[in-house]
Structures are given as structure tokens and as C-alpha cells.
Amino acid sequence: MEGGITGKEAYRQHFDPKSYFDMYMSCGSVNSSVCDPVCAFFQEKLHKTFFVDGIQGDTLIDIGSGPSIQQLLSACESFREIIATDLLEQNRVEIQKWLKKDPEALDWTPMVKYVCQLEGDREKWKEKEEKLRRTIKQVLPCDVTLANPLDPLVLQPVDCVISTFCLESACDDLPAYCSAVKNVASLVKPGGHLIFAAVMEETYYMVGSHKFGCLYLTPEMVRDAVKGASFEVLWSQGLGMTCPPSMCDAKGMFFLVAKKLSKSQ
């Protein structure tokens, strides 16, 4: 991994959730013209996964949620409970603020409205927010470098695990990435699903004035790591993008849905 500060302590000290939101996830930000096509692609693939393809179950774990709830807006219609997780306390605090309707919480309203539009009724955005608040049952610490990312908590394997824009920021090299994929995949029961979204060919990204390193990945690297964790890739799709150097050097985004093989396969 090259291009910026790395390591858990560096993230704990320098990662600012509000700056991250403003730069990459706020539809009304100065960078919205750059990020909106990426956000649209992301939400459309999540909509396909949960709403069109019908992936569903009792429990979904989101590994590396960041300060974000956007990756769970479609999933909350398909799962009885969702567990959000992140390494950083400041990110978990931001999710809790949104759950509690804190006036200082990040404003996800434009994204919620867009997802509701995909589902056929943009005006149901308030109902969608309340549905997601009811469905997120826990917000827990996680560390993808551990064999059990939720250690010391031990959970039964679940129906689905999603991880978006996380592992490439947490791993220094490809062997560490493959190990992290296996760690995350261990939380999925046989026949369950693993959903990844990752940035491609990125070596750094900015959060405020701080430059964070990122593992350079290609779609083939992601697919191979998922297959190496005993999963069948059901489908995947990429999107090319160009971002200003003041944000990052990513060349694309990659979305993948996989199914865990049974022990007999």
C-alpha cells in the first residue's frame, strides 16, 4: 500500500466522518458532479441485489460501515435485522446519531429519496428511514484483520454479509487482502451471500487535509480472493470513473455478489 498514511491508529486519529461525507457522499456537495454517477451506480446495484434478485434472510452484517447508512437502504426491506460495524468509534457514533435522529447527524435524505425512487415511490423516504432505523439492531466494533472480525463477540454465521469500500483501505498488500476476505467471509453461512463494493486501481484518497493509503486492486484480484474464500461469484459489474487528484486517484468501482459454497461442493 502506498500513497498516504496507513494503520489503525492513524485512522483513529485522523479520519473525520464529516469530511468524508462531504467529499464522497453528500449529494449537495461541491463534488456532487463527480460523485453522483458513482453513487447512482452503487445504489442501482444494491437495488438489483435486494429488490430485483431477491437476496433476503434473517440477518445481514455490514462490515466496515464507516459513518454511512446508504449501503443499507435497500437491504432493510429484505432482512429482519441488520448489524452495522466499524473499526472507528467516531464512525459508529455517527451512525448512532442518525439512528437517534440527532440534529447534528449526517443528512442522508437525498440518498434515501433516490433509493425510494428506484423502488417506485420517491415520497416514501420518511417511511424508508424509519424502516432502516428499526432494522439496524446493533452498531458494533469490527476489525477485518482478525480471524473473527467481531472478536470478542462470537455470532452464528448469517445469511448475508456486505462490505463496501472497506477492505482495500484496511489491507497493506494482496495477501493481507485475501486473508481479510476470508475473515469476513467466515461470518456467512453455507448458501449465504457475500456482497462487495470496492474502488479500483486506487493508491490514495483524501479525507479533509489527510491523505490515506489504499490497496491497488483490479476486478480479477477481488474475484480471485472471493473464490479463494469458497464462494461462487454470481455476478459482478464495474464502472470507470475519473476523480480529481484533490480527492483520490481511483480509476473505477467494482460491485460483486457471491454465494458461499456448501462443504460438499
Side-chain angles (χ1 to χ4, degrees):
M1 180 183 292
E2 300 177 355
I5 58 175
T6 61
K8 299 172 190 178
E9 287 309 312
Y11 268 87
R12 289 186 177 104
Q13 293 178 26
H14 301 297
F15 188 92
D16 179 60
K18 181 66 164 58
S19 296
Y20 180 73
F21 174 83
D22 289 343
M23 291 184 72
Y24 299 101
M25 297 186 176
S26 174
C27 291
S29 75
V30 294
N31 295 312
S32 61
S33 62
V34 173
C35 293
D36 278 357
V38 178
C39 290
F41 173 85
F42 180 49
Q43 292 300 343
E44 287 163 9
K45 299 312 139 192
L46 290 168
H47 174 75
K48 169 178 164 51
T49 299
F50 298 112
F51 201 82
V52 179
D53 294 350
I55 289 179
Q56 59 185 316
D58 288 327
T59 304
L60 176 145
I61 299 176
D62 180 23
I63 294 292
S65 304
S68 172
I69 53 89
Q70 67 158 343
Q71 66 277 11
L72 303 173
L73 290 166
S74 294
C76 73
E77 305 292 343
S78 301
F79 289 85
R80 183 176 56 81
E81 69 170 353
I82 290 173
I83 300 171
T85 74
D86 200 75
L87 174 72
L88 303 181
E89 182 181 6
Q90 61 263 42
N91 284 339
R92 300 195 301 270
V93 166
E94 286 300 330
I95 295 175
Q96 292 285 10
K97 283 182 180 179
W98 185 83
L99 291 174
K100 296 175 182 177
K101 301 183 182 180
D102 188 311
E104 296 183 357
L106 301 175
D107 183 11
W108 294 100
T109 304
M111 196 70 71
V112 179
K113 289 181 177 179
Y114 182 75
V115 173
C116 288
Q117 182 177 312
L118 290 176
E119 293 177 0
D121 191 347
R122 184 180 176 89
E123 299 309 310
K124 287 190 174 182
W125 64 273
K126 289 185 179 179
E127 294 176 33
K128 168 73 77 174
E129 287 190 335
E130 292 310 307
K131 178 69 174 288
L132 182 53
R133 287 187 173 100
R134 291 194 304 270
T135 307
I136 297 177
K137 305 296 186 182
Q138 300 181 80
V139 182
L140 302 173
C142 78
D143 184 342
V144 300
T145 67
L146 303 178
N148 171 18
L150 302 179
D151 186 76
L153 185 65
V154 177
L155 298 180
Q156 291 296 313
V158 298
D159 301 292
C160 185
V161 168
I162 183 171
S163 186
T164 60
F165 316 118
C166 171
L167 300 189
E168 60 269 32
S169 299
C171 300
D172 292 329
D173 54 34
L174 188 56
Y177 177 80
C178 292
S179 177
V181 170
K182 289 181 179 179
N183 296 342
V184 170
S186 71
L187 301 172
V188 184
K189 69 184 184 182
H193 292 88
L194 180 68
I195 299 162
F196 277 153
V199 288
M200 295 290 97
E201 301 180 47
E202 182 179 70
T203 65
Y204 78 89
Y205 66 103
M206 302 297 297
V207 178
S209 62
H210 295 285
K211 188 177 185 180
F212 291 89
C214 188
L215 179 63
Y216 182 100
L217 289 174
T218 65
E220 292 74 20
M221 291 175 179
V222 178
R223 279 193 287 260
D224 287 348
V226 170
K227 291 175 183 176
S230 300
F231 278 75
E232 173 193 5
V233 176
L234 299 181
W235 63 272
S236 61
Q237 189 171 345
L239 174 74
M241 64 185 185
T242 301
C243 294
S246 59
M247 291 178 65
C248 66
D249 64 349
K251 301 298 189 294
M253 178 186 158
F254 186 63
F255 192 94
L256 176 147
V257 178
K259 184 175 183 179
K260 191 166 192 175
L261 301 174
S262 64
K263 293 182 180 180
S264 62
Q265 289 178 283

